[in-house]
């Protein structure tokens, strides 16, 4: 009775498992319907005779990955239309730390769970990380990638909110395979070479498969691309027409420095070399003195990595098998940015020999004329203490960031089956351990305390060697010191910042699955399991960073750990079959209980259904209650650091505040202090982790259909799925302004009271806010919704096989409501820090294959966007914003089309060559006013330009 159902289920599975990337879809060989193997699909622990569940799952197989010519897993996943927002990779020079992540639905890397062979991967990076570094997964050893595009918390636990990426590695490989690929851009940079060796053998009782791979990617520099060789600004009216003009700008941290020359010239003066007889300083000019920080910065970053993997199985008996998985990755990566520009570098006394105002000092000896007070003579009246406010340290070279990481993961366990009557149950027990060790270096940093000593006449020594003597240095400009003096000064003030850390993960688990009994429509399936997981993380900043003596604000170490005990139950219930309008109706349900050492216990559950209405047409839906993300070690224990945040004090002019409660509370705190309004637009804030955080919780539902249209057009299929994800208690921070408003709006509010946030700030004797605690909070609500669609058409024509895949995602909403109730929807906008959320993304792929050749062509589409400065404006405000610019088109980003092409040919029976070009027409990234880096959105667009590659595959 169920043979036709089974055949239709397999056919529908092939449709719904259509590839996320538009290339040849994975295939299944079905020799006989009665012998179809039961398989486990991402999103469920119950093995089935098909790939279909109530959840939408996309599949990318090894053949598709090879056809892309892509060598990095993050780039493969970034091309999925369900990916958006900010994800790290070699595209991020400032702040990536060499790490690579995936961002499904634009909800952040921490809300996408990454599995390897159905089990968690250890978080990785430099230390106390909140997400997985995808560099640690060997691309050449992947059998397939299954992407669950809805919540999976009831089955997998924490983090499976936006989705689950399950990377299935080769575990039954037999033979020997050598792969090599090299390529670079048509600008002759960004060269990337990969080589790998895969080997495996089957024996009487099992298999062992092994992999070794090496990757070497070179950098691309911002200076070598026209769109990024100079930072573009639009905040000045240059021609007096009342419009903001576009121009090449730079940083106010100037070469040679900016100083405060005492009472006569208190504004920041630019210090630098001029002609003898002239002053060695001048008023700062943005256009003359700004520093082009793009010249030395990378556009794409270099990386090298070595990987080893081993998977093995051994049958201990007819129904007991032991298995092992082991993987190791060593990554070295680097980034480069402009020389550092530290602030508040110290003060030189008026009689310091190198003080530019000293009439008896070095500058006078060289014939310069620094008449500070403008009376026509340079004498003792001009001598002033000079403070170096900031300085671009070109004398010591660019900042070079480098990382060395080692990541290990091992899994050992047993699996098998047993019979209870006529019932067969599958079981598994396993132990898993993962560890990531990281070390990060930042070269050419400046110790501000030591810098100040080199201009302190009571500390430094003329001609000091910079080793055991503090050299007196002339930092008041550039080029003043001899090579020997410069070397001594550099040696004394510079240092290499060294940050270290680790992540560990230990898991014990057991699972069992099978069918408890038969129902009229099929077997009642069940899966259950328990799991214990313990994680620890540590991040130790350089000692100078901890004390705030380096180039940035003080940052303390991060250290924490947690453990969790979990149990789950999953059911698959065949309700109806072989009825008019109901070819098959299945229900599914799952529940997971968890008990964390950090916040306590709770549960999450889901229910779903698949309804095959007629042959070839299936409707599916699923609801998840309280999918969750537990706060990470970094969320809970991130070391405190200083930040300087803009704010508005609600007590400004409190005497005239019409709100009686605010007025009374402010008066109680400020009467007698002389306070009228805030003196500074910024307040020193302490930011960091919060041990009182609760988990983020999400309600998720999806509904869609799968249609095999073969009855109308042979080989044509379609899937459409709607998704809606609403996250409550999203972890973020609460602004200083809002905290002050909430504190003083409450009855009895004020500094130190029990009213909301009143213990989070202090005031000084003059009434000014003198410090603000701004730790992570469960502060926001985030919502995203939209539609995923896929059309696949496979046919034969002209004696060759053809396949067309079209995948599209439409995003209806991607919003955040903050603690103040302010709602922002980011769909269709390009932001300055979080990447873009295009309303539409689409991939169209064509694969044509013959007996010994194949050709692939892919078109990737990203919809037009608007600058985020237009987001949330009224029509009048929007018109005014647009009208403010001389080039208003720069607020609008055109739609982008990328074209990729490749051909492969079997030159011998066991040798295949593939040649490809990605970004065939050299489409350039879009510029917009509020860009995040390199004058564009580095997370959304292709930065490298047209790139070719050559790939060779040899099998034995």
């Amino acid at each position: 009775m169920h043979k036709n159902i089974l055949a239709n289920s397999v056919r529908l599975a092939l449709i719904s498992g259509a590839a996320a990337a538009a290339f040849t879809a994975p295939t299944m060989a079905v020799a006989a319907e009665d012998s179809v193997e039961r398989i486990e699909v991402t999103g469920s622990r119950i093995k089935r005779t098909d790939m279909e569940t109530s959840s939408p799952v996309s599949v990318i197989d090894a053949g598709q990955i090879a056809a892309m010519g892509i060598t990095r897993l993050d780039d493969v996943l970034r091309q999925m239309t369900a990916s958006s927002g900010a994800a790290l990779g070699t595209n991020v020079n400032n702040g990536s730390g060499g790490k690579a992540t995936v961002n499904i639905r634009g909800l952040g890397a921490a809300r996408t769970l990454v599995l390897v062979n159905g089990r968690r991967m250890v978080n990785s990076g430099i230390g106390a990380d909140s997400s997985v570094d995808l560099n640690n997964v060997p691309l050449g050893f992947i059998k397939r990638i299954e992407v669950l595009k809805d919540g999976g918390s009831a089955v997998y636990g924490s983090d499976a909110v936006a989705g689950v990426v399950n990377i299935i590695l080769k575990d039954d490989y037999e033979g020997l395979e050598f792969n090599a690929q090299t390529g670079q851009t048509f600008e002759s940079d960004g060269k990337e070479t990969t080589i790998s060796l895969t080997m495996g053998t089957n024996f009487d009782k099992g298999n062992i498969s092994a992999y070794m791979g090496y990757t070497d990617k070179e950098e691309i520099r911002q200076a070598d691309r026209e769109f990024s060789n100079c930072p573009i600004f639009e905040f000045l009216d240059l021609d007096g027409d009342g419009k903001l003009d576009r121009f090449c700008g730079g940083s106010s941290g100037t070469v040679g420095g900016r100083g405060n020359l005492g009472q006569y010239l208190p504004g920041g003066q630019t210090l630098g070399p001029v002609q003898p007889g002239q002053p060695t300083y001048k008023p700062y000019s943005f256009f003359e003195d700004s520093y082009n920080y793009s010249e030395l910065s990378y556009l794409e970053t270099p990386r090298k990595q070595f990987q080893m993997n081993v998977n093995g199985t051994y049958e201990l008996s007819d129904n007991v098998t032991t298995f092992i998985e082991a993987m190791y990755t060593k990554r070295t990566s680097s980034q480069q940015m402009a020389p550092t520009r530290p602030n508040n570098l110290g003060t030189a006394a008026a009689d310091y020999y190198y003080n530019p105002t000293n009439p008896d000092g070095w500058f006078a000896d060289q014939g310069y004329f620094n008449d500070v007070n403008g009376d026509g003579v340079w004498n003792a009246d001009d001598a002033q203490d000079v403070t170096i406010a900031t300085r671009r340290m070109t004398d010591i070279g660019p900042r070079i960031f480098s990382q060395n990481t080692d990541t290990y993961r091992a899994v050992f366990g047993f699996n098998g089956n047993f019979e209870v009557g006529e019932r067969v149950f599958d079981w598994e027990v396993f132990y898993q351990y993962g560890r990531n060790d990281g070390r990060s270096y930042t070269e050419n940093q400046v110790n501000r305390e030591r810098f100040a000593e080199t201009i302190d006449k009571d500390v430094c020594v003329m001609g000091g060697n910079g080793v055991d003597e503090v050299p007196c240095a002339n930092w008041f400009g550039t080029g003043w010191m001899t090579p020997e003096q410069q070397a001594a000064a550099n040696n004394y003030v510079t240092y290499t910042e060294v940050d270290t850390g680790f992540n560990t993960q230990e898991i014990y688990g057991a699972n069992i699955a099978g069918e408890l009994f038969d129902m009229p429509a099929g077997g009642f399936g069940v899966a259950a399991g328990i799991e214990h997981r313990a994680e620890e993380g540590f991040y130790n900043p350089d000692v100078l960073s901890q004390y705030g003596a380096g180039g940035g604000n003080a940052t303390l170490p991060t250290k924490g750990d947690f453990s969790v005990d979990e149990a789950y139950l999953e059911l698959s219930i065949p309700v109806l079959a072989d009825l008019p309008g109901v070819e098959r109706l299945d229900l599914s349900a799952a529940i997971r209980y968890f008990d964390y050492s950090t916040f306590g216990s709770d549960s999450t559950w889901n229910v779903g259904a698949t309804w095959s209405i007629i042959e070839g047409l299936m409707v599916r839906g699923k609801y998840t209650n309280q999918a969750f993300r537990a706060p990470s070690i970094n969320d809970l224990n991130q070391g405190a650091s200083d930040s300087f945040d803009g704010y508005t004090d609600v007590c400004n002019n409190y005497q005239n505040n019409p709100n009686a409660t605010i007025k009374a509370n402010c008066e109680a705190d400020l009467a007698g202090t002389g306070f009228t309004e805030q003196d500074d637009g910024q307040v020193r804030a302490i930011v960091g982790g919060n041990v009182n955080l609760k988990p983020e919780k999400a309600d998720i539902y999806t509904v869609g259909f799968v249609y095999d249209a073969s009855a109308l057009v042979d080989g044509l299929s379609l899937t459409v799925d709607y998704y809606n994800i609403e996250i409550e208690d999203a972890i973020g921070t609460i602004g200083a302004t809002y905290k002050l408003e909430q504190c003083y709006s409450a009855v009895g509010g004020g500094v130190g009271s029990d009213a909301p946030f009143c213990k989070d700030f202090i005031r000084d004797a003059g009434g000014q806010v003198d410090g603000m605690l701004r730790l992570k909070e469960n502060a926001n609500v985030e919502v995203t919704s939209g539609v995923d669609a896929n059309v696949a058409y496979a046919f034969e024509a002209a004696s060759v096989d053809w396949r067309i895949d079209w995948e599209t995602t439409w995003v209806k909403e991607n919003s955040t409501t903050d603690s103040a109730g302010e709602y922002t929807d980011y769909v269709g906008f390009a932001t300055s820090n979080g990447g873009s959320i295009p309303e539409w993304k689409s991939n169209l792929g064509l694969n044509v294959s013959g007996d010994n050749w194949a050709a692939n062509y892919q078109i990737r589409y990203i919809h037009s966007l608007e600058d985020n400065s237009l987001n949330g404006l009224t029509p009048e405000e929007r018109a005014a914003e647009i009208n403010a610019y001389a080039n208003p088109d720069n607020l609008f980003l055109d739609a982008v089309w990328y074209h990729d092409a490749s051909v492969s040919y079997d030159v011998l029976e066991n040798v295949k060559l593939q040649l490809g070009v990605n970004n065939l027409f050299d489409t350039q990234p879009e510029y917009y006013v509020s860009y995040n880096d390199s004058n564009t959105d580095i997370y959304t667009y292709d930065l490298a330009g047209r790139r070719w590659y050559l790939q060779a595959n040899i099998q034995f």
Side-chain angles (χ1 to χ4, degrees), residues 19 21-25 61-70 79 801-805 844-850 852-860 898-905 912-921 949 951:
F23 291 107
T24 306
D61 70 5
Q64 297 168 278
I65 295 171
M68 292 176 173
I70 292 175
Q79 287 194 10
D801 294 324
W802 301 72
R803 182 176 178 91
I804 300 172
D805 277 284
L844 176 64
L846 171 66
N847 169 263
V848 186
S849 58
N852 59 356
W853 63 273
N856 292 282
Y857 197 92
Q858 180 179 228
I859 302 173
R860 293 177 282 128
Y898 295 111
H899 298 255
D900 309 322
S902 68
V903 293
S904 64
Y905 181 70
K912 176 188 288 186
L913 295 180
Q914 179 173 310
L915 178 65
V917 177
N918 289 337
N919 195 353
L920 187 63
F921 298 110
Y949 65 90
Q951 185 184 108

Side-chain angles (χ1 to χ4, degrees), residues 594-624:
F594 47 89
D595 186 2
Y596 277 78
S597 61
T598 48
F599 61 83
S601 61
D602 206 337
S603 62
T604 176
W605 55 270
N606 68 48
V607 292
T610 59
W611 175 22
S612 295
I613 302 173
I614 58 174
E615 181 178 347
L617 177 61
M618 186 193 72
V619 177
R620 61 187 175 191
K622 178 181 170 184
Y623 171 74
T624 300

Side-chain angles (χ1 to χ4, degrees), residues 30 52 66 107 121 419 435 478 511 552 593 609 629 640 817 907:
V30 183
E52 191 50 56
L107 293 177
M121 183 69 184
E419 295 182 5
R435 182 180 177 97
T478 186
N511 301 293
Y593 170 83
R629 183 179 83 85
T817 303
V907 295

Side-chain angles (χ1 to χ4, degrees), residues 254-464:
T254 62
V255 175
R258 293 174 64 185
N260 186 332
L261 277 64
Q263 60 177 316
Y264 295 111
L265 299 169
Q269 305 296 305
T270 294
L271 310 170
V274 293
Q275 296 298 318
Q278 300 295 319
T280 61
Y281 57 85
K282 68 179 186 65
Y284 168 73
S285 167
F286 177 82
F287 289 102
E288 294 177 7
D289 303 318
S290 292
Y291 177 76
N292 181 359
Y293 49 80
S294 298
E295 289 182 340
L296 295 175
S297 296
Y298 289 159
L299 182 66
E300 284 201 350
T301 62
R303 178 189 52 127
K304 296 180 181 180
Q305 67 183 42
F306 171 73
Q307 295 175 304
M308 293 191 302
N309 290 76
V310 175
N311 289 337
T313 60
Y314 185 79
E315 293 181 6
L316 298 175
S317 68
D318 289 343
N319 49 15
V320 178
T321 299
T322 184
F323 62 89
I324 186 172
E325 302 171 11
M327 59 193 307
Y328 167 72
T329 298
K330 183 174 187 62
R331 168 172 63 88
T332 59
S333 51
S334 65
Q335 303 83 43
Q336 182 170 294
M337 296 177 64
T340 186
R341 52 154 295 179
N343 300 322
N344 304 318
L345 290 169
T347 300
D351 59 348
Y352 175 56
Y353 182 61
Y354 292 121
N355 184 320
T357 69
N358 183 358
D360 299 316
W362 183 87
F363 288 92
D365 293 343
Q366 302 303 310
Y368 295 101
F369 186 72
N370 290 334
D371 175 19
V372 178
N373 62 12
D375 62 0
V377 295
W378 185 9
N379 55 28
D381 292 339
D382 296 291
Q384 305 286 325
D385 293 346
V386 175
T387 298
I388 299 181
T390 187
R391 191 178 191 278
R392 182 68 64 175
M393 300 296 292
T394 54
D395 330 68
I396 64 175
R399 284 168 290 171
I400 301 172
F401 307 85
S402 59
Q403 303 84 33
N404 294 333
T405 66
D406 295 276
T407 304
Y408 315 79
R409 179 180 183 267
V411 183
F412 174 74
F414 301 89
N415 60 32
N417 58 71
F418 62 89
E419 295 182 5
V420 178
E422 297 181 355
R423 302 292 169 188
V424 178
F425 291 87
D426 298 309
W427 61 270
E428 174 190 75
V429 294
F430 69 94
Y431 170 76
Q432 174 179 325
Y433 180 78
R435 182 180 177 97
N436 159 249
D437 292 289
R439 184 175 289 264
S440 174
Y441 304 88
T442 306
E443 300 176 43
N444 297 328
Q445 291 285 67
V446 170
N447 183 327
R448 291 183 295 172
E449 292 180 357
R450 284 197 162 201
F451 188 102
E453 290 175 355
T454 64
I455 59 174
D456 185 342
K457 67 183 181 66
D458 296 326
V459 176
C460 68
V461 177
M462 288 294 179

